[in-house]
Each structure stands twice: as C-alpha cells, then as structure tokens.
Amino acid sequence: MFKAILARIHQKHRTIKYPAEPAVLPEMFRGYPLLAPERCPPDCRLCVDACPYGAVTSGTRDSGPGTRNREGNNNQEGTLSLDMGKCLFCPECATACPHGAVSFSNEARLAASRREDLIVAAGMERKLAQKLDAKMRGLFGRSLKLREVSAGGCNACEADTNVLSTVGFDLGRFGIQFVASPRHADGIFVTGPVSANMREALLTTYAAVPEPKLVIACGACAINGGPFMDSPEVHNGVDSLLPVDLYIPGCPPHPITILDGLLRMLGRLEDNLP
C-alpha cells in the first residue's frame, strides 16, 4: 500500500483537465475545416476532384445585381463547402489546393446535433452540439449509460472511444459509462458504416434499450458510410435506420471530440464559440 501511494505521488495527476482548461492537441492534428472561397480562381475544382469521398463541393452563387467578381466581368462569386460527415480529415483537398482555400484548424470541437450542422461553408453560422431538452437532461444529465455497437467498423473509432475510460480521460468522472447490456443502457453508441450483416444486430440492440433512449453516431462511417459509402454492403451510416441525437465526425474522432460532444449533449458544457 505504501509503495502504491509513493508511485502515485511520483506519477502525479494524469487525468486531462479538459473541460476546465482548454485541450492541448498535437500540432499536426486536423480539426475544424477553414475555407476561403475568395481565393478560388474561376472554375477551379482541384480540391473537389482530390477528395475521394465527395466531402468537398464548389460552385457559384449570384451575389446580386451590380456586383462584380475579382475578374470584374460578372456578378457570380464562388462557393466552397465541406461536409464533415463525409470527411475523413485526410489532407488531400488542402494539399491539392495551391491557393490556400482549404485548410484545417487545431479545433477539436466538431460534434453536432443535426446532420446539416456538419456542413461547413464560409459565412455559415457554426453550430456545436445542442443540449437535450429539460426532460431528457433530467433523466440522463448526471448519469448516462451507453451500449457501444460496432456495426462493421475497423476498430479505430472503437479504440479512441475506449481510451476515454482510461485514467488519462476518466469518462466516469462525468457520470458517463459504457455498459455490457443494452437493457442497462440509456442509449446506443454506434461506430462503423452499418454493414448488411450488422443491421439486424444494431436494430435488435436498439430495441432492447428502454425508452426513452438516445442514439449517437461516432465517426465518418457511422454518419455517412465513410470510405464504404454507397457500397451495397453498407447502409451509409446509422441515420438511415434510426433517429440520431448526436453526430461525432472524424476518422476516427479524437477522444476530446467525443467527450466534448457528449458533455454538450448533456448540457454539461455550454461555452461559446470564439
């Protein structure tokens, strides 16, 4: 016992201080996308063509009569958007663009309550995950039990979710736990693109969770099929089968991204965006 106490003193405090203090992320971490369509030359599609999964789109919009673009010859201005639900956060689009119109910040707060809030565009209001209504927060706000369902995932999202239960993140200090049985759960936490072979298992697990219940889609696969999108063997994510309460983008999402989304959903974290 004495040796264990000395070891803990030597190791010091190992649990991250987030959300009490800002998260410290690796310099090369790719988080919230930064788009600058004003840098795009007319008809440039380099970033669009570079994305293997159709996450980046571009086009033109009418900016009104009497206006001219930087070429001075019409009233059309470029648009650029990125769907974080489809994005694997690889650097292909940013690398392909020589104009700096696409880049990624170090911002890990990415989760959203609605699928459309995962679409990023210049000038569009950014919306983080919203808290549940008062009744649901009364039920789950201080104690949330989740059953994880790996619906054909590669185990990357599952691994980063498991990390949250270690001493480094200590998910249990927020009253959030993963349980073995759906009958003991308040909702399901889905990873993977929902393969044809996992469809029945997912629906059966969901049915076993007592009402009212939550559904959380974690990772690009669970949100939109990821690299398997439109394959006849997958369902392009969970919201084609079940109503989703929280979308957590990434491939895989950083543990901080997962934790931040869960806390916001429960109304435990409501800081404003800069």
Side-chain angles (χ1 to χ4, degrees):
M1 180 66 177
F2 184 68
K3 290 183 179 180
I5 294 174
L6 288 178
R8 289 301 301 271
I9 293 174
H10 176 73
Q11 292 173 357
K12 299 181 180 179
H13 195 274
R14 293 296 183 93
T15 304
I16 63 167
K17 296 181 179 181
Y18 187 83
E21 295 182 8
V24 179
L25 297 170
E27 182 180 348
M28 297 189 67
F29 172 75
R30 286 187 290 273
Y32 189 78
L34 302 176
L35 306 180
E38 68 277 4
R39 298 182 182 180
C40 299
D43 302 321
C44 179
R45 290 180 49 87
L46 291 175
C47 60
V48 176
D49 295 338
C51 180
Y53 309 110
V56 183
T57 57
S58 66
T60 58
R61 64 183 173 198
D62 193 339
S63 54
T67 60
R68 293 177 179 270
N69 64 10
R70 60 184 162 188
E71 301 297 323
N73 55 11
N74 57 50
N75 65 343
Q76 299 291 312
E77 60 180 14
T79 63
L80 188 63
S81 64
L82 187 150
D83 186 346
M84 292 193 295
K86 296 180 179 179
C87 183
L88 303 193
F89 291 82
C90 74
E92 295 299 322
C93 56
T95 301
C97 178
H99 315 291
V102 184
S103 60
F104 292 88
S105 71
N106 202 241
E107 174 60 74
R109 297 175 296 175
L110 307 176
S113 301
R114 302 185 306 166
R115 179 66 180 86
E116 55 266 34
D117 290 339
L118 294 179
I119 298 176
V120 179
M124 180 181 293
E125 180 184 3
R126 182 181 170 192
K127 294 183 179 179
L128 295 175
Q130 302 298 303
K131 61 185 177 182
L132 298 169
D133 61 42
K135 178 181 178 181
M136 296 292 274
R137 291 201 314 276
L139 291 171
F140 307 136
R142 301 178 67 86
S143 177
L144 178 67
K145 313 296 184 185
L146 297 171
R147 175 66 170 99
E148 203 277 338
V149 179
S150 179
C154 70
N155 212 36
C157 292
E158 295 84 343
D160 272 13
T161 301
N162 287 341
V163 165
L164 289 172
S165 297
T166 66
V167 67
F169 294 92
D170 192 12
L171 187 65
R173 64 191 160 123
F174 302 107
I176 306 172
Q177 293 180 311
F178 287 90
V179 295
S181 170
R183 299 190 185 280
H184 300 160
D186 303 310
I188 58 173
F189 187 95
V190 185
T191 56
V194 189
S195 64
N197 287 339
M198 280 299 298
R199 178 182 181 276
E200 183 176 352
L202 172 66
L203 296 178
T204 301
T205 302
Y206 176 76
V209 178
E211 295 281 358
K213 47 194 168 184
L214 303 171
V215 177
I216 298 166
C218 179
C221 287
I223 295 173
N224 212 89
F228 312 104
M229 182 175 60
D230 294 333
S231 166
E233 301 301 323
V234 303
H235 289 276
N236 282 359
V238 65
D239 65 3
S240 62
L241 300 171
L242 298 173
V244 174
D245 299 282
L246 182 67
Y247 296 89
I248 307 175
C251 186
H254 192 280
I256 290 292
T257 302
I258 301 172
L259 176 60
D260 182 84
L262 292 174
L263 293 180
R264 290 181 189 280
M265 180 184 69
L266 297 177
R268 305 280 293 276
L269 188 59
E270 299 184 66
D271 59 307
N272 296 322
L273 288 167

